[in-house]
Amino acid sequence: MINNKKLPIFRVAVLFFSMSILSSCNTKVKEEENKGLCNYYVDYFPIGVSVSGRALIPPFDTFITKEYNSLTPENEMKMGPVHPEENRFNWKPADEIVDFAVKNGMKVRGHALVWHEQAPKWIFIDNGDTVKKDVLLNRMKNHIDSIMTRYKGKIYCYDVVNEAVADDSTMIFRESNWFNICGEDFIEQAFVYAHQADPGAKLFYNDYNLNRPEKMERTYRMLKKMVEKGIPIDGVGMQGHWSIFEPSEQDLREAIKKFASLGLSIQVTELDVSVYNWEKNRRAKNPDENDEFTESLEQKQADQYKMIFKVFREYKDNITGVTFWGISDRTSWLNHYPVEGRKNYPLLFDSELNPKKVYKEVVNF
Ligand code: XIL
């Protein structure tokens, strides 16, 4: 018989026990075969992965909870998918991911509150014309409030603004609809609104190619100004869409040190290591383009991942999370972008979910 007075304590004990068996990454796992990436990195930073709802069923569900302790919705929380009409939210796909994470004791990164891509058409239009700045900022506030209120206590950090810095090195800001209508205010306001909506959430600026010195410098200047003005920003997300050709060890270190010097924490939010050169624009596959994963490419990729994770571990005081962009080479977005149908091999698991050779390089240290 359980004494009634002791029931609450008993319940708490059961809860803790069940949480620890649900997520193996919350504990130190000794047996090699039961270890996932997140166990190897338990003393460093959470290891995450981007997912869609389709990935949360067998056999992927147990695979995911074994290897990772953080999830990012790959598309489900972007403004277009989650907020397709002004007065309609499509919560189900995002809820499924958040619920799965909560059930399994995993963290969730919210991605992405404000971005020029995958934005719904309605947001920039008002009565058939381009929307005015004050109306757009209001809509943005409503969007941010709705998401962050719904997931308060479940999502611990957000990519508040994504990719606002231009590719063109002669300017700082990308000439997106957001920028063209609001100027740079949209960036600061997004952080202010996000902080109001959930003061407990960690707020990130997220972008790609931040390892490249000149884009890093421009981004640094933008962030420095925000920090000095007291804008509530906690960190910078280096997407980490890298390749066997970049970043160099030196550029990677420099970028981490430079952003950390602003007092910001750093997360690598969308890691994959392509076997091709980085290209921005979509194009068709060339008839003579070979997309075989040769031994030489495999070795180059292993060397690159090894270096990257060595540097991450060295900067564990500044890096608060590393997330892979996709589960395996089968479902990586890089099989479709920038070249539709060109097979890429950017992740640690092959198309059958088996760890590739490179996996060992990441966990042997
Ligand atoms: C990508 C997704 O992986 C694809 O499925 C989708 O078709 C396009 O967006 N930077 C980001 C991510 O911040 O949201 C993008 O994700 C990849 C580039």
Side-chain angles (χ1 to χ4, degrees), residues 129-261:
D129 281 329
T130 302
V131 67
K132 294 265 180 307
K133 176 175 175 177
D134 57 335
V135 178
L136 182 56
L137 288 179
N138 244 324
R139 289 177 177 178
M140 181 172 92
K141 179 172 168 34
N142 172 45
H143 174 77
I144 291 175
D145 272 346
S146 305
I147 296 203
M148 295 185 76
T149 305
R150 186 174 186 89
Y151 298 118
K152 205 175 270 187
K154 297 180 178 171
I155 295 190
Y156 84 108
C157 77
Y158 282 88
D159 294 326
V160 177
V161 175
N162 200 25
E163 303 182 353
V165 174
D167 287 319
D168 178 344
S169 63
T170 63
M171 49 175 99
I172 290 200
F173 299 102
R174 176 189 301 279
E175 292 187 329
S176 66
N177 283 333
W178 291 107
F179 181 77
N180 290 338
I181 298 168
C182 302
E184 57 189 279
D185 287 357
F186 88 90
I187 303 170
E188 298 185 357
Q189 282 310 118
F191 280 89
V192 169
Y193 297 151
H195 185 62
Q196 285 167 358
D198 181 0
K202 299 283 179 216
L203 307 181
F204 283 75
Y205 173 73
N206 194 49
D207 212 330
Y208 57 88
N209 286 348
L210 297 187
N211 54 292
R212 294 187 175 179
E214 72 81 19
K215 185 159 178 186
M216 186 272 282
E217 276 296 333
R218 284 182 291 134
T219 309
Y220 171 83
R221 291 211 300 274
M222 176 187 83
L223 295 173
K224 185 164 189 284
K225 207 165 125 188
M226 289 167 67
V227 169
E228 284 169 357
K229 273 175 102 171
I231 301 298
I233 175 169
D234 298 284
V236 51
M238 299 178 69
Q239 290 185 357
H241 293 299
W242 291 328
S243 76
I244 55 174
F245 307 106
E246 65 174 333
S248 69
E249 183 167 345
Q250 188 189 346
D251 286 351
L252 179 56
R253 278 177 197 285
E254 280 309 309
I256 295 171
K257 282 197 278 193
K258 197 82 192 252
F259 292 130
S261 75

Side-chain angles (χ1 to χ4, degrees), residues 1 59 61 63 76 85 90-91 101 123 132-133 164 190 197 202 228 235 243 246 252 255 263 298 345-346 350 355:
M1 264 288 279
D61 51 353
F63 168 81
E76 294 68 7
E85 292 169 46
N90 177 28
W91 293 118
I123 191 112
K132 294 265 180 307
K133 176 175 175 177
K202 299 283 179 216
E228 284 169 357
S243 76
E246 65 174 333
L252 179 56
E298 195 174 6
Y345 309 87
D350 69 16

Side-chain angles (χ1 to χ4, degrees), residues 74-75 78 111 115 118 162-163 239 241 270 325 333:
E74 184 165 347
N75 290 296
K78 291 170 182 172
H111 175 80
W115 190 24
Q118 291 177 272
N162 200 25
E163 303 182 353
Q239 290 185 357
H241 293 299
E270 305 180 19
W325 206 244
W333 74 303

